[in-house]
Amino acid sequence: MLTSITEGILCCLTGKVAGLVLSLESTEPSDGFEFVEVKPGRVLRVRHIVPERQPVVTEGQVAGNEKKDAEDDDDDDDDGGGGGSAHDCNDSNTGSSVHCKRKITVYRNGQLVIENLGDVLHSEILQCRDGDLEPCSTVEVELADYKEMPSSPDPKPVTPPVPPPLGEQKPAPPPRRRRRKPKRTVQIDSKRVISSCKGTHSDVALFFVHGVGGSLDIWGSQLDFFSRLGYEVIAPDLAGHGASTAPQIAAAYTFYALAEDLRAIFKRYARKRNILIGHSYGVSFCTFLAHEYPDLVHKVVMINGGGPTALEPSLCSIFQLPSCVLHCLSPCLAWSFLKAGFARQGTKEKQLLKQGNAFNVSPFVLRAMMSGQYWPEGDEVYHAELTVPILLVHGMCDKFVPMDEDQRMAEILLFAFLKVIEEGSHMVMMECPDTVNTLLHEFFLWEPDMSRKDRIKTATALGDTLHTLKVNKPVEK
């Protein structure tokens, strides 16, 4: 503590910022670690693990092996593990086609009305594997900017009032807010193929994105687990975090600068079907990539990401203090993060925090990251436009992200699955790795069962036919 205060005083006197970021050379084994220059002088450390698979069939062998591959298709589909093959990719592309159709209307009084006109899938993953098809519905919420304004139901036709009996007083009706001309209307009409993603599929890649103060090391349990299952995994260190370079200009840590870094990483390692897994601030970057590349992003996992509101830095935050002051307070900040980020603060949690290299960034980077969280485009409409299936994971003991924010996110999204882990907190993937790994894996393998939808349509059509026959049946004399 005294050392930190002394260094902070020297920092103020000299005008220099003490750097706590690890050097570019990682002290861990080099296997699986790469350094990618996304811009001149801007280098990110990336852990990239490619599983060992069978040799890819060459063009000269395709004609001779077509018959054998066709005969082996059934056997390979039943095999849940082992190495991948060339035709795994082709078999995995046949999934369930879901019709994504919705109308999003923003009114000037702050109302957001979402009309789901196509398929909507909501379920509890662990209890209902295939998902339930819900009928067309309408979602009406208040925008974040208008939370202080009271809401009211849809206006109904005015009917003549009935006079109350003598001696009784009619209560005053609740205030109604009349809808005015729509401010903005968005139409979505597309079809998405959703299929199971196995580790044996060579066209599947998993991207893990950490949040403020973290590093790729917080995903250690997930990277090891899914790489052993045969998945190709990619996890970068954000600029100024882990072993990535740390530019000493605040503009290097804005949302847009970091998003462009991740865009470069995504374009470099992306396969035909990609699954994005984000934590905290990293969820915003996953949302950005899913919005930018809807055909390449197959599924998204949001872990303690918060509500679907536009990002804006707080002007009254402790992170607005000078970097030298934050350096003096770094031990207190680390303890506060441990207390709020973990459900328990024992020896195990302290060791996890140390192993995960979390909150080990310089005060300058920390201040610039918090001040650079400005993303006005990422509002409710931006999230409502997503048609990718999304799994929301929330730690019940999280003191950073309230539960109602993830509930609001699930309400806005088209295909949303919310799972709450009672014994977890903000760093739930480190506290409960087995639970999170199992939950994520089931989501990766999940594929909607559209046969139930077909049965409902058939039954409805059959009922209409029987009703018509019954009505039109001639009367016997």
Side-chain angles (χ1 to χ4, degrees):
M1 181 69 179
L2 293 176
T3 304
S4 176
I5 295 176
T6 304
E7 292 178 354
I9 295 175
L10 293 175
C11 168
C12 294
L13 294 176
T14 59
K16 298 181 180 179
V17 180
L20 297 180
V21 182
L22 298 180
S23 60
L24 192 61
E25 297 181 359
S26 175
T27 57
E28 302 177 54
S30 58
D31 294 342
F33 289 91
E34 302 174 4
F35 291 91
V36 180
E37 188 175 25
V38 293
K39 290 182 180 179
R42 194 176 176 99
V43 182
L44 302 185
R45 181 182 68 155
V46 179
R47 187 176 182 187
H48 180 208
I49 303 177
V50 181
E52 296 182 0
R53 296 191 176 98
Q54 295 179 3
V56 179
V57 181
T58 60
E59 295 181 358
Q61 297 172 322
V62 170
N65 293 341
E66 279 183 351
K67 183 176 180 180
K68 182 178 182 300
D69 291 341
E71 294 175 353
D72 295 339
D73 278 348
D74 296 336
D75 297 336
D76 290 338
D77 287 342
D78 296 335
D79 184 10
S85 59
H87 57 270
D88 281 336
C89 176
N90 297 331
D91 293 341
S92 63
N93 291 335
T94 58
S96 300
S97 179
V98 179
H99 188 192
C100 307
K101 187 177 181 180
R102 64 184 351 193
K103 180 181 178 181
I104 308 169
T105 307
V106 180
Y107 291 90
R108 297 184 184 276
N109 59 1
Q111 287 179 310
L112 174 66
V113 178
I114 303 174
E115 300 176 66
N116 295 318
L117 308 176
D119 299 327
V120 181
L121 296 169
H122 290 280
S123 74
E124 184 69 40
I125 291 294
L126 294 181
Q127 298 178 2
C128 187
R129 176 72 172 270
D130 294 329
D132 288 335
L133 280 169
E134 296 183 351
C136 300
S137 60
T138 301
V139 180
E140 183 173 346
V141 297
E142 298 294 322
L143 296 182
D145 296 339
Y146 297 88
K147 283 184 178 180
E148 67 278 0
M149 301 179 63
S151 60
S152 62
D154 295 341
K156 298 180 180 180
V158 179
T159 57
V162 179
L166 296 177
E168 295 184 8
Q169 293 183 354
K170 184 179 179 180
R176 292 179 178 270
R177 192 146 51 90
R178 184 168 62 91
R179 285 182 185 170
R180 299 183 182 275
K181 186 178 179 180
K183 181 180 179 181
R184 180 183 177 190
T185 301
V186 179
Q187 299 278 355
I188 298 175
D189 191 352
S190 62
K191 288 188 177 180
R192 172 178 287 274
V193 177
I194 305 173
S195 60
S196 171
C197 298
K198 300 180 181 179
T200 55
H201 297 161
S202 58
D203 66 335
V204 176
L206 309 182
F207 288 81
F208 294 84
V209 184
H210 66 82
V212 178
S215 71
L216 63 85
D217 299 316
I218 68 173
W219 302 109
S221 299
Q222 286 71 44
L223 299 180
D224 295 340
F225 177 81
F226 288 105
S227 61
R228 288 197 301 267
L229 291 178
Y231 286 94
E232 180 177 358
V233 297
I234 302 97
D237 277 334
L238 296 180
H241 295 68
S244 296
T245 56
Q248 292 300 307
I249 53 174
Y253 303 98
T254 63
F255 173 85
Y256 298 102
L258 298 172
E260 290 303 318
D261 291 347
L262 293 175
R263 185 201 294 269
I265 296 297
F266 181 77
K267 292 173 64 176
R268 178 185 178 94
Y269 296 101
R271 301 301 179 189
K272 189 172 183 179
R273 294 183 298 162
N274 305 277
I275 301 178
L276 309 179
I277 305 97
H279 171 250
S280 192
Y281 191 27
V283 169
S284 298
F285 301 113
C286 293
T287 303
F288 169 80
L289 292 175
H291 205 279
E292 292 289 308
Y293 303 98
D295 296 332
L296 292 177
V297 176
H298 200 65
K299 297 176 182 178
V300 176
V301 179
M302 300 180 175
I303 303 178
N304 294 327
T309 57
L311 296 181
E312 186 175 354
S314 175
L315 300 178
C316 300
S317 172
I318 188 176
F319 298 103
Q320 297 297 328
L321 295 174
S323 301
C324 54
V325 178
L326 291 178
H327 184 71
C328 297
L329 300 176
S330 58
C332 299
L333 294 176
W335 169 249
S336 300
F337 179 80
L338 176 66
K339 188 175 181 180
F342 291 86
R344 300 176 181 84
Q345 294 81 39
T347 305
K348 175 184 175 182
E349 286 71 25
K350 294 179 181 179
Q351 187 65 23
L352 288 174
L353 190 64
K354 183 179 180 180
Q355 292 176 353
N357 198 25
F359 222 72
N360 186 26
V361 297
S362 71
F364 175 81
V365 172
L366 182 60
R367 184 177 186 273
M369 287 283 291
M370 300 301 294
S371 301
Q373 293 185 5
Y374 178 71
W375 185 35
E377 295 85 2
D379 57 3
E380 288 89 344
V381 177
Y382 189 93
H383 288 80
E385 291 175 341
L386 296 176
T387 60
V388 58
I390 297 177
L391 172 64
L392 300 168
V393 180
H394 184 86
M396 180 64 77
C397 304
D398 190 354
K399 297 181 179 62
F400 289 112
V401 180
M403 177 66 187
D404 58 353
E405 290 194 14
D406 277 330
Q407 290 177 337
R408 181 181 177 88
M409 179 75 84
E411 184 182 15
I412 294 280
L413 297 172
L414 180 61
F415 301 145
F417 306 89
L418 176 60
K419 178 62 180 178
V420 179
I421 301 179
E422 296 183 357
E423 63 274 15
S425 184
H426 193 66
M427 308 299 292
V428 63
M429 64 282 185
M430 301 177 69
E431 296 174 294
C432 313
D434 296 337
T435 303
V436 172
N437 292 343
T438 302
L439 186 62
L440 266 59
H441 192 211
E442 290 200 5
F443 179 62
F444 298 164
L445 299 179
W446 168 77
E447 181 178 348
D449 183 9
M450 306 304 292
S451 61
R452 182 172 180 267
K453 174 188 176 185
D454 296 335
R455 290 196 300 268
I456 294 175
K457 285 186 176 180
T458 303
T460 304
L462 180 60
D464 294 340
T465 304
L466 293 176
H467 177 72
T468 303
L469 293 175
K470 182 178 180 180
V471 171
N472 296 334
K473 183 178 180 180
V475 179
E476 297 182 359
K477 295 183 179 179

